[in-house]
Amino acid sequence: PSLNEDTIKEEAVVFCHNDTQENNLMHSFTIGADGVKEISEVKIIDFEYSGINHRGVDLAGYIQEACINYAVETTPKYQIDESKFPNFDGPATEGAIDIDFLVTAYLTNFYESHMPSLIANYQNIEKFSSLEAYLAHEVPVLKSQLKGLILHQDLTWVAWCLVMTRGILLDSKTGQLWEDPARLQQAIEEIGEFNMPYAATRLELYA
């Protein structure tokens, strides 16, 4: 089929990390004479869950994870800061994620990195004629998609909690519940301290 606005799919399905939480995004930096930190290099690690997914999944994951502090020593060892959640319908508020900046940076990088190899197929499509045209068309589209993808991410990690719960309760050698009562009790306490509260918190965001 001929390529047009309705049939183009290549830019919407991409390779994704699928776990863009803070511990997987590492950077090196220098501190200038003025005390300002300048990031010199960013590295992404832990591709255990990586694969093909919608282009906005990693952005949605980053947005959600940026609102969660995992450096909490007391149970349940995390805290959600809803004040950091982006404003999708207006300018960024102080201390919150700037959704327009994030989406524009992502789409700009995608266009500049991939369009040269695809432009032969897309040259007759208006939205690919320039970076400005592409951003004008795609920024509102991706912002709208991210609202659903953020829910998708929350439900994904709720499911992850349930899957991990099974693994915690079972002895990996036998595939059965821990026979040692003390070890089984330890597993139950571990689930009660993090997995179940974490899943519940993700769902309560929509209550």
Side-chain angles (χ1 to χ4, degrees):
S2 60
L3 291 171
N4 55 51
E5 295 283 4
D6 296 322
T7 60
I8 291 176
K9 301 297 180 184
E10 285 86 346
E11 83 276 16
V13 179
V14 298
F15 177 80
C16 293
H17 183 276
N18 292 322
D19 189 13
T20 46
Q21 57 112 333
E22 60 186 34
N23 293 321
N24 293 333
L25 306 175
M26 308 181 71
H27 63 270
S28 56
F29 60 89
T30 58
I31 303 295
D34 55 2
V36 176
K37 181 171 75 171
E38 295 185 2
I39 296 176
S40 57
E41 185 179 24
V42 175
K43 289 187 177 181
I44 302 174
I45 64 171
D46 192 1
F47 285 82
E48 178 183 2
Y49 299 139
S50 63
I52 300 300
N53 216 328
H54 188 280
R55 64 177 178 176
V57 163
D58 282 343
L59 291 181
Y62 173 80
I63 290 168
Q64 285 297 73
E65 295 296 335
C67 299
I68 304 175
N69 175 17
Y70 292 104
V72 179
E73 295 184 359
T74 56
T75 301
K77 300 184 179 180
Y78 68 88
Q79 184 176 23
I80 293 181
D81 185 354
E82 295 188 43
S83 68
K84 292 184 178 181
F85 196 79
N87 177 16
F88 279 87
D89 302 313
T93 56
E94 184 177 357
I97 296 168
D98 187 335
I99 190 64
D100 288 302
F101 172 82
L102 186 65
V103 169
T104 298
Y106 174 86
L107 291 173
T108 297
N109 180 270
F110 177 85
Y111 186 92
E112 293 178 344
S113 299
H114 299 288
M115 278 304 110
S117 63
L118 301 175
I119 201 65
N121 292 330
Y122 297 160
Q123 58 186 352
N124 296 322
I125 299 175
E126 184 177 354
K127 78 171 182 178
F128 293 106
S129 61
S130 68
L131 174 60
E132 291 72 20
Y134 183 69
L135 293 177
H137 185 281
E138 290 298 296
V139 167
V141 171
L142 184 52
K143 284 176 64 177
S144 177
Q145 292 169 340
L146 279 172
K147 294 179 181 179
L149 289 169
I150 287 172
L151 170 60
H152 167 274
Q153 283 293 285
D154 283 317
L155 294 178
T156 295
W157 291 110
V158 168
W160 176 87
C161 285
L162 298 177
V163 171
M164 294 302 291
T165 293
R166 182 178 185 275
I168 294 170
L169 289 171
L170 300 183
D171 183 336
S172 60
K173 294 181 180 179
T174 65
Q176 303 298 319
L177 286 173
W178 290 100
E179 293 185 1
D180 179 0
R183 183 64 185 85
L184 180 59
Q185 181 61 33
Q186 179 184 350
I188 293 172
E189 291 176 357
E190 181 179 342
I191 292 166
E193 288 180 356
F194 180 80
N195 294 66
M196 291 299 99
Y198 189 68
T201 300
R202 290 275 194 163
L203 292 176
E204 288 168 357
L205 292 172
Y206 302 91

